[in-house]
């Protein structure tokens, strides 16, 4: 096995993966389409496919991949909410890159907040037209304000450090609190009530789906800012748009959107966007949308390429798969992952 195929690739993926492929001895074929049940047939003849955040790796896709001989899906990302593990278990191993640069995402979250708060996006456009007016550009000091962080894992913790550097108070919510971090944990409700800015750094699961909705938005102080660099469906976007129109929410910065698969990573500048909620959000002066780019730094792209190819090498050599995603197979008597470092 030395040939791998990639789905949903862009020029920057190729640059970074090409620079590592000789070191690992793999031949790579890059496909532009996203992986889904219609395109899975393209994987015929490959034992390994490399996929990304907006691929649809449902049961149907997995069945086709398996029939075509695929035995490993290597995700070149950290999140894995787009994979049906139950369908993959026992047939296709699924590995990921658990961390490649939490700094990239945390720094992007702060960049978005600073842009929104100090209206940099508006000032940039104004001065290019020689409009040097300051009307409407007033922000507030972050120093002394309260940041609410939901999810205190790798990215959340780095984001908290950045916020503390700005002199912010930090409240946190996580069902698995970090004991060593000296963080002030509160309930989601209290975090919503007390924070001036709320930043989401938790995974998308059935428990976190639409965590930000009309009820939680109503708990927030009038004028609260929301940052989402995690997964779009953590927020009910329709409720968010409504709360922004009602001026309950002071602004939102979104690197992810719940229906992003159709739009993000593509140049649609000549097209009519038929998603009224996305169009509505983008049209607001106090909403900034970036196209799932928080990860996009040189360091992250290097790490993604190297760790993805190492995951594939481990599989090819029959070694343990430390980055295999644990499908809770509910085998209570023994755990293959613990014993053999492979889920099956
Ligand atoms: P992590 O696994 O280190 O941390 C996630 C934290 O969320 C953990 O502490 C976990 O206990 C907590 N959590 C689990 N369930 C929760 C719940 N119901 N409510 C609140 N917290 C909960 O993950 P990491 O690396 O910090 O990444 C966080 C998220 O960032 C990922 O799940 C992914 O969706 C997103 N991400 C986005 C990127 C982008 O380019 N925009 C790039 C990389 C990750």
């Amino acid at each position: 096995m030395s040939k791998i195929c990639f789905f949903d690739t862009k020029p920057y993926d190729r640059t970074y993966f090409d620079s590592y492929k000789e070191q690992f001895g793999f031949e790579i074929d890059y496909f532009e389409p996203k992986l889904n049940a219609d395109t899975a047939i393209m994987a015929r003849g490959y034992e390994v496919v490399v996929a990304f955040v907006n691929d649809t790796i449902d049961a149907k896709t997995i069945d086709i991949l398996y029939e075509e001989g695929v035995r490993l899906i290597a995700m070149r990302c950290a999140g894995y909410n787009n994979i049906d593990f139950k369908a993959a278990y026992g047939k296709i191993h699924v590995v990921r890159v658990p961390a490649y640069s939490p700094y990239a995402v945390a720094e992007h979250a702060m960049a978005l907040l600073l842009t929104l708060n100090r209206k940099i996006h508006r000032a940039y456009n104004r001065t290019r037209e020689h409009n040097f007016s300051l009307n409407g550009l007033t922000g507030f000091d972050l120093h002394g304000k309260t940041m609410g962080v939901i999810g205190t894992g790798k990215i959340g913790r780095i984001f908290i450090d950045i916020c503390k550097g700005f002199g912010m108070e930090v409240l946190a919510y996580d069902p698995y609190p970090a004991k060593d971090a000296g963080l002030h944990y509160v309930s989601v409700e209290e975090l919503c009530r007390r924070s001036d800015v709320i930043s989401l750094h938790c995974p998308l699961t059935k428990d976190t789906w639409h965590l930000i909705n009309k009820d939680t938005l109503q708990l927030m102080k009038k004028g609260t800012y929301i940052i989402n660099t995690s997964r779009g469906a953590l927020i009910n976007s329709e409720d968010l748009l409504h709360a922004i129109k009602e001026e309950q929410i002071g602004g939102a910065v979104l690197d992810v959107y719940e229906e992003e698969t159709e739009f993000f990573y593509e140049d649609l500048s000549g097209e009519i966007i038929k998603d009224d909620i996305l169009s509505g959000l983008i049209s607001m002066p106090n909403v900034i949308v970036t196209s799932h780019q928080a990860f996009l730094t040189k360091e992250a792209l290097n790490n993604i390429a190297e760790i993805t190819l190492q995951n594939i090498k481990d599989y090819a050599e029959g070694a343990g798969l430390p980055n295999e995603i644990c499908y809770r197979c509910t085998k209570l008597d023994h755990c293959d992952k613990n014993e053999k470092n492979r889920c099956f």
Side-chain angles (χ1 to χ4, degrees):
M1 194 279 305
S2 61
K3 241 175 132 194
I4 309 163
C5 73
F6 276 52
F7 282 84
D8 195 14
T9 52
K10 296 284 182 262
Y12 45 82
D13 295 311
R14 296 170 198 193
T15 306
Y16 284 85
F17 275 95
D18 281 349
S19 69
Y20 283 94
K21 68 181 180 188
E22 274 176 27
Q23 178 188 328
F24 284 91
F26 294 128
E27 229 179 279
I28 298 178
D29 288 329
Y30 296 106
F31 303 149
E32 278 183 28
K34 291 190 174 61
L35 174 59
N36 56 42
D38 295 330
T39 59
I41 188 80
M42 294 170 75
R44 176 171 292 171
Y46 297 90
E47 197 178 334
V48 177
V49 304
V50 177
F52 198 42
V53 287
N54 286 328
D55 292 321
T56 307
I57 310 171
D58 55 12
K60 204 169 160 201
T61 307
I62 285 168
D63 282 347
I64 299 168
L65 292 175
Y66 185 67
E67 270 172 35
E68 296 303 339
V70 173
R71 295 295 177 267
L72 178 73
I73 297 172
M75 301 301 294
R76 55 181 200 279
C77 54
Y80 48 86
N81 52 288
N82 52 335
I83 307 163
D84 185 336
F85 288 109
K86 198 169 174 198
Y89 181 67
K91 293 179 176 169
I92 301 182
H93 294 277
V94 185
V95 290
R96 67 171 178 141
V97 183
Y100 38 85
S101 173
Y103 303 100
V105 182
E107 288 172 14
H108 190 76
M110 182 49 90
L112 285 173
L113 171 60
L114 291 171
T115 306
L116 173 71
N117 180 34
R118 303 308 298 269
K119 326 284 192 251
I120 306 296
H121 53 309
R122 302 184 64 196
Y124 172 78
N125 285 325
R126 280 190 192 182
T127 54
R128 286 168 72 82
E129 296 213 340
H130 302 171
N131 173 355
F132 300 107
S133 158
L134 297 184
N135 290 335
L137 299 188
T138 310
F140 57 76
D141 287 7
L142 291 182
H143 186 271
K145 298 296 183 304
T146 300
M147 173 65 74
V149 175
I150 299 186
T152 56
K154 292 179 284 298
I155 298 170
R157 295 272 293 269
I158 292 164
F159 184 71
I160 288 171
D161 287 345
I162 294 173
C163 293
K164 288 185 173 168
F166 277 81
M168 299 187 81
E169 303 296 325
V170 176
L171 297 176
Y173 170 74
D174 194 308
Y176 310 99
K179 294 192 176 65
D180 57 327
L183 295 175
H184 184 180
Y185 284 99
V186 294
S187 66
V188 177
E189 290 74 19
E190 187 176 348
L191 183 143
C192 289
R193 279 194 199 96
R194 290 178 53 193
S195 302
D196 299 295
V197 184
I198 293 174
S199 195
L200 306 176
H201 297 288
C202 57
L204 177 63
T205 64
K206 62 179 176 18
D207 296 330
T208 59
W209 184 81
H210 283 188
L211 179 73
I212 303 299
N213 56 47
K214 62 178 179 337
D215 298 328
T216 41
L217 288 162
Q218 272 313 317
L219 293 176
M220 294 174 196
K221 291 187 206 174
K222 196 171 163 62
T224 300
Y225 283 169
I226 295 176
I227 307 171
N228 188 7
T229 55
S230 280
R231 285 293 179 267
L234 295 174
I235 299 182
N236 180 325
S237 317
E238 195 172 358
D239 291 353
L240 175 64
L241 179 59
H242 181 74
I244 286 170
K245 284 183 178 165
E246 296 289 303
E247 299 183 25
Q248 162 66 7
I249 293 303
V253 286
L254 310 171
D255 186 51
V256 285
Y257 172 63
E258 55 183 324
E259 302 297 335
E260 71 182 46
T261 311
E262 251 188 86
F263 308 106
F264 282 17
Y265 300 131
E266 305 304 328
D267 178 359
L268 302 176
S269 48
E271 314 269 328
I272 307 290
I273 299 293
K274 295 199 175 99
D275 181 321
D276 291 347
I277 297 174
L278 179 60
S279 302
L281 285 167
I282 289 172
S283 74
M284 297 292 146
N286 54 349
V287 174
I288 298 173
V289 174
T290 52
S291 182
H292 207 139
Q293 75 170 75
F295 73 99
L296 200 65
T297 64
K298 290 176 189 172
E299 291 78 3
L301 289 169
N302 271 317
N303 289 336
I304 288 171
E306 196 171 7
I307 298 168
T308 302
L309 295 180
Q310 183 61 50
N311 285 341
I312 298 171
K313 187 165 180 262
D314 290 343
Y315 165 80
E317 291 176 347
L321 298 176
N323 293 329
E324 182 163 24
I325 304 165
C326 172
Y327 165 64
R328 291 184 177 76
C329 59
T330 64
K331 274 192 219 153
L332 296 174
D333 48 341
H334 76 278
C335 168
D336 282 346
K337 184 88 195 281
N338 284 344
E339 287 166 22
K340 300 181 206 150
N341 213 359
R342 282 190 175 215
C343 283
F344 56 89

